[in-house]
Amino acid sequence: DQQVKQNSPSLSVQEGRISILNCDYTNSMFDYFLWYKKYPAEGPTFLISISSIKDKNEDGRFTVFLNKSAKHLSLHIVPSQPGDSAVYFCAARVSGSARQLTFGSGTQLTVLP
Amino acid sequence: NAGVTQTPKFRILKIGQSMTLQCTQDMNHNYMYWYRQDPGMGLKLIYYSVGAGITDKGEVPNGYNVSRSTTEDFPLRLELAAPSQTSVYFCASSQHGRELFFGEGSRLTVL
């Protein structure tokens, strides 16, 4: 039973355009959401997060949107750069859960020059 | 500042062998975790620890054991290795639980 789903295994975008990565969740107890970025042969690195009390969080070129009623979040990257090519994981945390994260299966983003 | 360090980076085991994946962090984080990532899948939690002397099972603990005798170290023990344990293993740590810092991973193949 996948509680965090990333339905698009891959996404290709032209350099300079917007990349939109999507994530759906089923557990209404999730109160904190994160995006991680992973390059080959490296561990995931934290990118951006959002609390369930907000609907938007922005950090430079990266913006995360949360739609609680739809149990959906998305990561926008504007403008996309070739160095953004990586696997992006969505993750979620249940309140009071010893900070355990549940991860989605990831989306491979390729930014074409 | 090394962050989270995992050893070894690569290992091949025969079925039935045992081994320990080492993980150490130098950030004085209370929380530590072991995840595994199978091809095309997300990271699944094996075990976690909220502090020295305290460990608990995650989503996929069968076939593994952990210990946490110090704040810095959180080794993962594989007993009687099976092909289903072929995976990439990630250790992570966190201070407040808001974001996890991951090691570079250990790729294990069981033949």
Side-chain angles (χ1 to χ4, degrees):
Chain A
D1 177 28
Q2 271 190 295
Q3 297 187 61
V4 179
K5 297 180 183 179
Q6 294 177 257
N7 292 317
S8 298
S10 63
L11 173 69
S12 290
V13 171
Q14 209 68 35
E15 182 179 4
R17 306 294 290 268
I18 184 171
S19 295
I20 300 176
L21 295 96
N22 293 304
C23 179
D24 297 297
Y25 63 95
T26 57
N27 190 341
S28 57
M29 297 299 291
F30 287 143
D31 72 338
Y32 196 72
F33 303 87
L34 307 89
W35 285 93
Y36 280 82
K37 177 179 179 179
K38 185 183 180 305
Y39 293 117
E42 294 185 8
T45 54
F46 170 74
L47 190 57
I48 192 169
S49 62
I50 188 167
S51 166
S52 60
I53 62 174
K54 295 186 176 181
D55 55 16
K56 177 183 174 181
N57 189 27
E58 197 169 351
D59 184 1
R61 295 186 298 113
F62 303 91
T63 303
V64 56
F65 295 92
L66 175 62
N67 183 334
K68 285 202 304 181
S69 61
K71 292 191 175 66
H72 177 84
L73 68 157
S74 61
L75 175 68
H76 292 208
I77 307 174
V78 183
S80 301
Q81 300 173 354
D84 295 329
S85 297
V87 176
Y88 289 78
F89 290 100
C90 169
R93 187 193 73 184
V94 172
S95 173
S97 64
R99 315 301 192 228
Q100 302 163 51
L101 294 181
T102 301
F103 284 83
S105 55
T107 297
Q108 170 70 58
L109 173 66
T110 302
V111 180
L112 305 168
Chain B
N1 191 345
V4 179
T5 303
Q6 293 181 231
T7 57
K9 286 188 168 43
F10 303 94
R11 182 73 187 268
I12 298 175
L13 280 181
K14 293 183 179 178
I15 294 172
Q17 286 186 319
S18 300
M19 75 160 297
T20 299
L21 298 176
Q22 301 291 346
C23 175
T24 186
Q25 53 96 4
D26 61 2
M27 297 174 281
N28 202 33
H29 287 170
N30 289 324
Y31 299 94
M32 294 190 74
Y33 311 82
W34 275 105
Y35 284 87
R36 60 176 283 175
Q37 185 192 11
D38 299 325
M41 305 291 287
L43 286 76
K44 294 192 182 300
L45 182 65
I46 305 171
Y47 269 95
Y48 66 98
S49 169
V50 301
I54 306 169
T55 63
D56 208 346
K57 295 177 181 179
E59 185 182 357
V60 289
N62 291 344
Y64 307 94
N65 276 301
V66 293
S67 59
R68 184 96 182 269
S69 56
T70 66
T71 298
E72 294 78 21
D73 300 307
F74 190 42
L76 177 72
R77 177 86 177 159
L78 281 73
E79 304 282 0
L80 299 174
S84 60
Q85 293 178 305
T86 294
S87 191
V88 181
Y89 292 83
F90 291 99
C91 179
S93 72
S94 173
Q95 181 59 17
H96 301 294
R98 287 189 167 266
E99 58 188 70
L100 272 58
F101 294 86
F102 284 86
E104 293 185 340
S106 298
R107 183 177 296 275
L108 175 67
T109 302
V110 181
L111 301 173

